[in-house]
């Protein structure tokens, strides 16, 4: 029986672009249950973003996130893959003032994974603890220009 609008079976998108459009049309967004008491704001946790991104599997999409290095800069590489073999890759720099501190580095990796995945999937978000990525003057820190960052 062929797939049509009257059956309960969904037509599988043939390309990554079609699949992302179908996923976006669901209105999927990550629940913002994380609390940042310092900035009095809520945010989507990494787990919530991952759960939301996994909903795209219904459209033949999956993802992986790996640590990537270039010179003295650490990135989280987010790769979105479709059953067609098409893929989309992006990198998010790991921002931390002290790369010798494993806890701070882990926090920076989690932050990069969360925002890299939200960005790659086009998931809605609000600025939560993004204030931590800004310097005291309010300027966003450039990982290449920040002394001691890497």
């Amino acid at each position: 029986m062929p797939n049509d609008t009257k059956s309960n079976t969904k037509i599988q998108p043939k390309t990554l672009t079609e699949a992302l459009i179908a996923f976006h049309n669901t209105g999927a967004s990550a629940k913002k249950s994380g609390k940042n008491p310092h900035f009095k704001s809520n945010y989507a946790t990494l787990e919530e973003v991952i759960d939301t991104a996994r909903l795209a599997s219904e459209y033949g999409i999956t993802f992986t996130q790996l640590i990537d290095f270039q010179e003295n800069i650490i990135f989280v590489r987010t790769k979105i893959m479709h059953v067609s073999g098409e893929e989309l890759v992006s990198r998010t720099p790991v921002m931390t003032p002290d790369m010798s501190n494993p806890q701070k580095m882990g926090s920076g990796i989690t932050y990069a994974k969360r925002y890299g995945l939200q960005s790659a999937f086009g998931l809605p978000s609000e600025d939560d603890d993004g204030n931590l990525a800004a310097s005291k003057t309010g300027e966003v820190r450039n990982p290449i220009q920040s002394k001691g960052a890497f």
Side-chain angles (χ1 to χ4, degrees):
M1 182 170 158
N3 291 335
D4 61 26
T5 56
K6 294 179 184 177
S7 92
N8 289 333
T9 306
K10 292 186 179 185
I11 298 172
Q12 185 75 349
K14 292 180 177 72
T15 67
L16 178 57
T17 300
E18 289 174 359
L20 284 171
I21 289 169
F23 176 65
H24 291 158
N25 285 339
T26 69
S29 64
K31 182 180 171 187
K32 294 178 177 81
S33 67
K35 305 265 188 233
N36 183 329
H38 183 71
F39 292 108
K40 297 182 173 91
S41 61
N42 296 336
Y43 64 96
T45 65
L46 175 59
E47 293 79 10
E48 291 163 337
V49 173
I50 288 171
D51 288 345
T52 304
R54 285 184 176 154
L55 298 174
S57 66
E58 187 173 333
Y59 303 98
I61 299 173
T62 191
F63 67 92
T64 187
Q65 291 187 293
L66 303 170
I67 304 300
D68 193 10
F69 301 89
Q70 181 178 349
E71 298 176 17
N72 292 330
I73 302 173
I74 298 174
F75 296 91
V76 169
R77 183 169 43 101
T78 301
K79 184 187 225 182
I80 297 177
M81 300 162 284
H82 185 252
V83 293
S84 67
E86 292 178 279
E87 56 186 44
L88 172 71
V89 179
S90 68
R91 294 189 321 168
T92 306
V94 173
M95 306 290 285
T96 182
D98 183 1
M99 293 301 273
S100 67
N101 182 318
Q103 288 181 320
K104 288 182 180 178
M105 190 169 134
S107 179
I109 290 169
T110 298
Y111 189 90
K113 287 178 77 170
R114 180 165 36 113
Y115 279 99
L117 196 57
Q118 279 183 294
S119 176
F121 274 93
L123 297 174
S125 67
E126 66 182 51
D127 186 16
D128 57 327
D129 53 354
N131 296 309
L132 295 176
S135 69
K136 292 179 183 177
T137 62
E139 295 177 17
V140 175
R141 294 175 35 189
N142 180 332
I144 297 172
Q145 295 174 346
S146 297
K147 290 185 179 181
F150 301 98

